[in-house]
Amino acid sequence: MDDKDIYSGAAVVIPAAGSSVRMEAGRNKQFLKVSGVPILARTISIFKEMPEIDRIIVVLNPDEFDVFRDEIAVPYGLTDIEVVAGGADRQSSVYEGLRALDDMPDDAVLLVHDGARPLVTPAVILDNIHGACEFGAAVTAVPASNTIKITNSKGFSVQTPERDTLYEAQTPQGFRIGVFRRAAEQAQKTGFTGTDDVSLVERMGLPVRITKGSRRNLKITVPEDMIIAEALFAQPDPKC
Ligand code: C5P
């Protein structure tokens, strides 16, 4: 069966409207180059090459629309990408992206993928699309490699959850778009802010499938991540 037989269209919302304070570069980290190409151009291009993806919405700070056009869209042939203005936090930015997709039917697939994750692969994305189609919502994740501590407000460790129940969430996070619409509306109504996209669905008691992530699917956040990303781009994924 062709992938497209199981859903009517797929879109990806790429939030890239953050201020990148932790990168300490004085500008949006997603415009920085890794191995000669801006991070955001790399991220968008991966989705653009995939026949499964029909629409790409990039969410930006409106002050950066011109920089996006001059440094990313024009030089890298991405002028057909839809751009919308983001909000004060990541969840608001994703919501703005969702509103641009009002015309998509409820059974279409929505992926949300951080602009700052340029090392995602088509295999990881496809696995997430399949999880979203089958279960309504799916999060790309990897098993936690560190022991995680629950602490109290006074700085003491009070509990150690069993590591084999813990996963580190990545993106893409995928949905039947109707499921995400309901979850986003509910979050708006109740003033809930989650730290990722699927947490809005978990809150409604609906299933969220774990799909296979990769340790290479790094979110570039701090200056050290630029060094790691350069090294990863120099050493292509043997599984791709
Ligand atoms: O800050 P962090 O890297 O965790 O943010 C994840 C993604 O969400 C980034 O790609 C960032 O640009 C985006 N974001 C956004 N709007 C905000 C805050 C973050 O699109 N207001």
Side-chain angles (χ1 to χ4, degrees), residues 3-225:
D3 274 333
K4 287 240 171 154
D5 293 340
I6 52 175
Y7 58 87
S8 55
V12 58
V13 168
I14 301 181
S19 49
S20 308
V21 174
R22 288 172 288 177
M23 183 53 77
E24 300 166 359
R27 70 183 310 215
N28 184 339
K29 62 188 176 187
Q30 287 146 122
F31 294 109
L32 301 178
K33 289 184 175 176
V34 181
S35 295
V37 178
I39 291 169
L40 188 54
R42 287 187 175 279
T43 304
I44 296 169
S45 298
I46 296 161
F47 289 93
K48 192 167 181 218
E49 306 265 295
M50 292 182 68
E52 292 81 3
I53 304 293
D54 304 293
R55 287 177 68 182
I56 301 177
I57 313 280
V58 176
V59 189
L60 290 172
N61 180 329
D63 292 346
E64 296 177 331
F65 283 176
D66 289 351
V67 190
F68 177 78
R69 186 196 57 223
D70 297 344
E71 297 186 20
I72 300 212
V74 172
Y76 295 94
L78 301 170
T79 45
D80 54 343
I81 301 306
E82 297 168 67
V83 173
V84 303
D89 57 22
R90 186 182 176 285
Q91 186 170 312
S92 318
S93 291
V94 170
Y95 191 72
E96 293 307 319
L98 176 68
R99 289 196 333 156
L101 297 168
D102 273 352
D103 55 332
M104 290 192 92
D106 274 351
D107 72 334
V109 168
L110 166 70
L111 301 179
V112 181
H113 183 73
D114 293 327
R117 289 189 192 267
L119 282 140
V120 72
T121 60
V124 165
I125 296 167
L126 283 177
D127 212 33
N128 191 252
I129 290 177
H130 286 131
C133 282
E134 196 173 349
F135 297 97
V139 54
T140 303
V142 290
S145 59
N146 290 303
T147 296
I148 307 291
K149 296 292 183 185
I150 295 177
T151 62
N152 65 16
S153 58
K154 300 187 179 86
F156 287 86
S157 176
V158 292
Q159 210 184 325
T160 307
E162 275 185 48
R163 197 162 66 194
D164 56 8
T165 66
L166 297 175
Y167 278 74
E168 294 173 35
Q170 302 181 337
T171 66
Q173 301 195 1
F175 309 86
R176 292 278 186 186
I177 198 168
V179 171
F180 192 66
R181 280 183 182 129
R182 273 186 281 139
E185 268 158 35
Q186 183 70 17
Q188 283 251 316
K189 228 184 277 167
T190 55
F192 173 77
T193 305
T195 50
D196 69 354
D197 311 293
V198 291
S199 58
L200 276 49
V201 173
E202 290 160 0
R203 243 182 119 244
M204 297 179 73
L206 296 173
V208 175
R209 179 71 162 179
I210 298 278
T211 62
K212 201 169 168 359
S214 161
R215 287 267 155 217
R216 294 177 64 97
N217 184 17
L218 173 76
K219 177 160 70 68
I220 299 178
T221 307
V222 294
E224 292 78 4
D225 293 332

